Amino acid sequence: MEWSMSISRHFVLAAGGTGGHMIPAHAVAEELMARGHHVALVTDERGAKIPGIFDKAQVHVLPAGRMTKNPKSWPGALKAILAGRAMARRLNETFRPTAVVGFGGYPAMPALLAALADGVPTAVHEQNAVLGRVNRLVAGRVDAIATAYPGVERLKEKYAAKVHLIGNPVREEVKQLREEDFPALTEESVFRVLVIGGSQGASILSSVVPEGLSMLPVALRRRLQVTQQCRAEDIERVRKTYAEMEIPADLATYFNDVPEKLGWSHLVIARAGASTLAELTCAGRPAILVPLPSAMDDHQTANAREMTEAGGARTIPQSRFTAVELAKQMQKMAMEPGALQNAAKRARGCGRPNAARDMADLLESIGHAPIVNDAVRVGPTPTSLNLAGVPA
């Protein structure tokens, strides 16, 4: 039987309550709903409160325990996971999902466990270049594993036949930047620098970047225009520093128009979170990346590897991220003729702008038709998913 794209199906998307999990889930939900499907979100209280996403979908807040290194936390965490699983099974009874997909984070665990218990097809999406803890726990049992990078650490080779390189879904406004040219840049024009440190800013960027910019040659420093995200406790100090250096600076604790700011930026200085990397490579913007060293499994360093090796970014470990090193790397990128434009092109080459579309295709195919996905895959190329009860 061939399934028509007009057939309406139900999908449950389960995601942890941070932007790194929720934004890709939201992009996939928008794609699925645009195809006429119905979507329900399972998350925690943090995820349910993120403004502007999942406004058109059912939202269910489930308890989800977090298994820490402290054994004393395990009984309470297990109790919460089992309670969430029971609630998710009741959701399956009423919503009758075609598939359940987890986007990482502990809130995804109860929904995935419920789907596995109920025989509902399952998939996970891994945003980082290191397989996350929850995705590692269920990788052997789910029907499909979608990844954002060609190489994913902690992903066992024996799962290669069900792994699909999808990319990280991004907002439509970011996808549109891909059709625009890199902002014009001459030796006399304004040089626009965007500094973003994740959803809460990064204090080390607030400390190092202004000092680093002050060390640039006068001819370059006078052309600078800085837009920087700062923590609330840092913002006035940073504003005063830029004023003393006579560098125009637009500072805020949060930017709700990042795609617009990304569009006119010549260089981005940022952490190496999965969503940040996806937007930089989709738009094609060169960057200096400072991975967060405390990220679980050092996944931000792994995230930065592809873009850096391609020549679209320079990665500076936080232990070596000093004003002197930043100034040195900026001069190499900004003062060599054509260097930024070339880096932008190389960054763009790492982008996977159709990730939401490809993920929706993957979910539509689970349990029904063979997967048809022209994205590059990790490991051997399968002709279809080998689902329980479905011939390969």
Side-chain angles (χ1 to χ4, degrees):
M1 174 180 180
E2 282 198 10
W3 289 86
S4 167
M5 293 295 286
S6 63
I7 292 177
S8 178
R9 302 175 192 158
H10 292 188
F11 294 94
V12 171
L13 278 57
T18 65
H21 300 305
M22 291 287 289
I23 290 175
H26 172 67
V28 174
E30 291 280 296
E31 176 69 21
L32 289 169
M33 288 187 290
R35 300 182 184 196
H37 302 309
H38 299 282
V39 172
L41 168 71
V42 169
T43 187
D44 58 12
E45 292 183 355
R46 293 179 304 163
K49 293 178 181 177
I50 295 178
I53 62 176
F54 284 97
D55 294 334
K56 301 174 184 176
Q58 296 183 27
V59 177
H60 301 268
V61 175
L62 269 60
R66 181 178 178 84
M67 305 290 284
T68 68
K69 294 181 180 179
N70 183 357
K72 292 182 180 180
S73 71
W74 295 352
L78 181 59
K79 182 178 179 180
I81 290 171
L82 292 176
R85 175 180 176 270
M87 293 173 65
R89 294 194 72 177
R90 291 197 292 272
L91 173 62
N92 291 345
E93 288 179 10
T94 57
F95 193 63
R96 296 188 177 279
T98 296
V100 174
V101 54
F103 286 83
Y106 279 98
M109 178 67 86
L112 289 167
L113 293 177
L116 292 168
D118 292 336
V120 178
T122 51
V124 293
H125 180 274
E126 179 55 60
Q127 296 90 49
N128 293 301
V130 180
L131 198 65
R133 189 171 294 172
V134 169
N135 286 347
R136 289 203 298 269
L137 290 171
V138 299
R141 300 180 65 191
V142 298
D143 298 307
I145 301 171
T147 67
Y149 295 94
V152 177
E153 298 174 20
R154 299 209 174 190
L155 177 56
K156 296 179 180 179
E157 179 63 26
K158 65 182 180 180
Y159 302 144
K162 60 180 177 181
V163 173
H164 302 266
L165 178 56
I166 296 293
N168 258 329
V170 298
R171 292 169 284 186
E172 190 62 34
E173 302 94 316
V174 177
K175 283 182 64 175
Q176 292 172 1
L177 295 177
R178 196 170 177 83
E179 307 305 318
E180 300 178 7
D181 293 332
F182 185 72
L185 184 63
T186 67
E187 293 183 359
E188 291 78 32
S189 61
V190 173
F191 185 87
R192 299 185 180 90
V193 178
L194 175 63
V195 186
I196 46 178
S199 59
Q200 299 297 322
S203 287
I204 191 166
L205 299 183
S206 295
S207 299
V208 173
V209 173
E211 185 181 354
L213 299 186
S214 73
M215 296 180 177
L216 294 174
V218 174
L220 177 58
R221 191 170 71 239
R222 286 177 175 173
R223 293 165 50 205
L224 291 174
Q225 180 176 314
V226 179
T227 301
Q228 182 164 349
Q229 182 187 18
C230 304
R231 290 182 181 273
E233 60 267 29
D234 298 329
I235 195 166
E236 290 307 321
R237 171 178 58 82
V238 176
R239 182 175 283 117
K240 181 180 178 181
T241 301
Y242 280 125
E244 291 172 350
M245 294 189 300
E246 298 183 343
I247 294 177
D250 176 19
L251 309 180
T253 57
Y254 179 78
F255 294 120
N256 57 11
D257 58 347
V258 170
E260 179 182 348
K261 288 177 167 51
L262 194 61
W264 45 249
S265 297
H266 297 108
L267 177 67
V268 179
I269 303 173
R271 289 299 198 186
S275 293
T276 298
L277 269 292
E279 293 186 345
L280 289 172
T281 56
C282 183
R285 292 296 180 271
I288 292 175
L289 303 173
V290 187
L292 177 68
S294 61
M296 186 176 294
D297 300 317
D298 196 23
H299 66 251
Q300 287 204 3
T301 297
N303 290 351
R305 192 169 296 131
E306 181 187 26
M307 186 178 176
T308 301
E309 290 179 352
R314 293 171 183 260
T315 295
I316 305 176
Q318 183 163 307
S319 59
R320 301 210 312 266
F321 185 60
T322 63
V324 172
E325 182 65 19
L326 174 62
K328 182 173 73 174
Q329 296 299 336
M330 279 195 67
Q331 286 184 69
K332 289 180 179 179
M333 298 183 77
M335 301 189 74
E336 293 179 8
L340 279 172
Q341 291 86 342
N342 183 52
K345 182 179 179 180
R346 292 172 178 270
R348 190 178 184 276
C350 297
R352 298 179 178 91
N354 297 318
R357 181 201 69 186
D358 291 344
M359 190 69 195
D361 288 347
L362 177 62
L363 294 177
E364 285 185 330
S365 69
I366 287 179
H368 299 298
I371 290 179
V372 180
N373 179 9
D374 58 3
V376 179
R377 293 186 176 92
V378 178
T381 302
T383 55
S384 70
L385 284 182
N386 188 7
L387 304 180
V390 179

